[in-house]
Structure formats: structure tokens, C-alpha cells
Amino acid sequence: MHKPLIGAHVSISGHLHLAVERALSIGATTMQIFTKSNRSWFDKPLDLEEVSVFKKAVKAADLRGIMVHSSYLINIGAKEESTEKNSVKSLTLELERAEALDIPFLVLHPGSHTGAGTESCLKKIAHNLDIVLKKASGNTMILIETMAGQGTNVGSTFEEIKQILELTKNNHLLGVCFDTCHIFSAGYDISTDDGYDEVFKQFDKIIGLKHLKAFHLNDSKTEFNSHKDRHEELGKGNIPMTFFKRLMNDQRFAVVPKVLETPTDPDMELYKRELKLLRSLID
Ligand SMILES: [Zn+2]
Ligand SMILES: [Zn+2]
């Protein structure tokens, strides 16, 4: 049996490789990080020493399926040209950094149309993904995150995600990150047993389960179909633990990395407890 890949979004504060220590301290077998400030467009390049220390630490810790979350500023579907340009440049740098660090996945919020309409936004996203992926020089995949449908964000339906995947020519390095909170808020009812079967059936039919490369495991503070993105600690929100139990035991996703993302106390006791809880759900 495979060791389940579960972890959390951990801080790189101090130094990149300290994220690995933090992941180990909570009993994680995978992790998600930012490789730079999540509120800046650009950052100074990684130095070789930094890269090598990080890679050694990851290897020693045997962390697998690591994800980078790209900057929150990036909107490659933006209406404004300056935002679009900065976003493409910033995403290209994010990909280069992830490649340099040998990180397999880069998670991306697909974008928001800010009034320009969903269709043209999806086309723009695919066009810009082609520009970024043309420069790819490693195996790092960009994972489109499923969104809650807040504001003018696109990517809250399986159909929109499918369109992005299909419109992008260079799509062999594209996949999907399934955020449980966002999915529930977007109106996919994963709260019942039948709902569980139906939602993944729909995902498979429309997008294809083979494209599902990672999970964000978040409970939802807001009610079903709220279109709000409010994470909650597992078991405290509106998604029942029966969902997480089934997911943890679903053999289709046995080797798919799963990370917690709900902000936690600085000493990460909550993450530690949640990972323990997830492990206890495995039959
Ligand atoms: Zn995200
Ligand atoms: Zn979220």
C-alpha cells in the first residue's frame, strides 16, 4: 500500500528549506508552499545555494507531490492589459522557480473577468497558459484550481475548467486541483454518499479524473452553494466528515497529494491534529 500523501500549506518564513522542517513537524508526507511573497508580482531570483539546500531537505524528508501556490495577484484572464501582462510574466517566473526546485505542481487560480464576461476570459486564460507553458523546461504541471464562484472568478464549474484545458494547445502540462471547500460552495453537493458518487462521476465525464492531480482539503464556513470562499477547520464547517472519510479511502485518489489550507495557529497544532484525524479515517 502507498503511504498517503497528506500535508498542509506551510510557511517558508526565514528560508525556503524551513518549510520542509515545518511539514515534518506536523507529520506531513507532502506540502504546499509559496516560493515568494504571495502578494508581490516579482521577486529576486532564487540563488543556487538556496535551491540545492531545499532539494536536499525534500529528499531527506521524502516529501512527494509538493505543490507551489502561485501569487494571489496573478490574473491571466484580466481585462486590463497591464494586469494581464504582469500576470503572464509573474506566472512564468513562478513556473521557473517551481521547476528549479523540482516541485511537480504549481497551483493557479484560473482568473476573473471583472466584467468582460466568462467566455472571453476563458479564451484569454488558455491563450496565456500557452505562452507560459511554451517556455516550460521541466516536468512541473500547472494545476487549475476549482473555484467557489465568488465575484467574477471563473473556474467554478467543471465545464469552464474543461474549456480551459481544451482551449490550451500545450495542455500536457496542465491538470486540476480539486478544492473541497470551493467545490461545495460552488454548488457541487459532496455532503451525501450519493452526492459524492455523482460529483466525481460528473468530474470524470466532463474533465476526466486522470487530470485530477491534487486536492485542497478545506471545510467550508459558509453553507452549500454560497459561492463564497471561506475555509474552515475540518469537522467545524458544513462539509460532513463522512465526505473526508470516503475521500481518504477512495483508491482512485490513493496517490494524489492532499493538503490542508485553513490558516492555523503559529505553532501548527491544528494542522497536526487535522492530519492525525485524516490518518485515523483510513480503514
Ligand atoms: Zn488557492
Ligand atoms: Zn479558498
Side-chain angles (χ1 to χ4, degrees):
M1 214 188 108
H2 300 280
K3 186 166 69 168
L5 291 180
I6 50 174
H9 185 104
V10 292
S11 162
I12 56 163
S13 167
H15 212 288
L16 261 180
H17 75 265
L18 294 178
V20 177
E21 280 177 30
R22 293 184 179 111
L24 286 182
S25 79
I26 55 171
T29 49
T30 186
M31 66 177 179
Q32 178 176 271
I33 55 171
F34 295 116
T35 69
K36 49 186 270 303
S37 160
N38 61 333
R39 310 233 173 247
S40 77
W41 287 111
F42 312 111
D43 224 328
K44 62 170 173 46
L46 295 167
D47 66 68
L48 289 174
E49 175 67 14
E50 212 174 358
V51 169
S52 130
V53 171
F54 177 83
K55 288 205 282 200
K56 265 187 212 139
V58 167
K59 201 167 174 199
D62 196 24
L63 296 180
R64 296 172 196 221
I66 298 174
M67 294 161 230
V68 170
H69 199 297
S70 55
S71 164
Y72 293 138
L73 294 178
I74 294 176
N75 178 10
I76 58 168
K79 191 168 71 169
E80 300 79 4
E81 211 185 309
S82 61
T83 312
E84 185 188 357
K85 266 195 182 144
N86 276 338
S87 297
V88 172
K89 204 169 147 197
S90 185
L91 184 60
T92 306
L93 288 176
E94 293 267 17
L95 186 61
E96 282 170 13
R97 293 167 87 91
E99 283 172 345
L101 295 166
D102 275 341
I103 294 178
F105 304 118
L106 173 63
V107 177
L108 173 72
H109 292 180
S112 45
H113 66 72
T114 56
T118 303
E119 285 305 308
S120 67
C121 183
L122 294 173
K123 281 190 192 129
K124 200 176 264 194
I125 291 167
H127 172 78
N128 286 328
L129 280 171
D130 269 324
I131 292 176
V132 174
L133 288 170
K134 207 177 277 172
K135 295 185 194 129
S137 61
N139 299 316
T140 304
M141 294 185 84
I142 294 182
L143 304 186
I144 307 291
E145 183 169 347
T146 62
M147 302 307 284
Q150 202 164 263
T152 63
N153 285 346
V154 300
S156 64
T157 66
F158 296 159
E159 285 80 2
E160 288 176 10
I161 298 211
K162 170 209 167 98
Q163 275 196 62
I164 296 172
L165 260 52
E166 281 189 353
L167 291 169
T168 308
K169 292 179 196 83
N170 240 318
N171 62 9
H172 66 288
L173 285 176
L174 264 192
V176 180
C177 173
F178 186 111
D179 185 305
T180 54
C181 164
H182 300 174
I183 284 279
F184 182 74
S185 297
Y188 291 100
D189 192 1
I190 48 174
S191 69
T192 65
D193 248 356
D194 286 349
Y196 183 101
D197 292 326
E198 187 54 30
V199 170
F200 283 113
K201 202 171 125 192
Q202 286 300 318
F203 189 108
D204 195 29
K205 207 173 109 190
I206 298 165
I207 301 173
L209 283 179
K210 67 171 193 290
H211 297 296
L212 203 170
K213 301 294 182 189
F215 284 95
H216 283 168
L217 299 188
N218 301 307
D219 203 341
S220 174
K221 199 170 266 192
T222 56
E223 71 280 13
F224 172 65
N225 208 13
S226 66
H227 293 271
K228 290 209 176 73
D229 181 1
R230 302 275 184 278
H231 297 181
E232 177 59 286
E233 173 185 344
L234 300 186
K236 294 250 170 89
N238 290 300
I239 304 176
M241 281 316 289
T242 48
F243 166 79
F244 293 103
K245 183 168 172 61
R246 275 199 70 180
L247 186 66
M248 289 306 293
N249 287 288
D250 195 324
Q251 285 311 302
R252 295 173 295 181
F253 312 125
V255 293
V256 178
K258 304 172 179 78
V259 295
L260 303 161
E261 263 194 326
T262 305
T264 176
D265 45 296
D267 57 2
M268 300 193 293
E269 281 307 312
L270 175 58
Y271 275 161
K272 209 187 274 180
R273 279 205 309 277
E274 286 181 287
L275 290 181
K276 211 169 154 189
L277 172 68
L278 286 172
R279 227 170 258 118
S280 77
L281 297 176
I282 303 172
D283 293 330

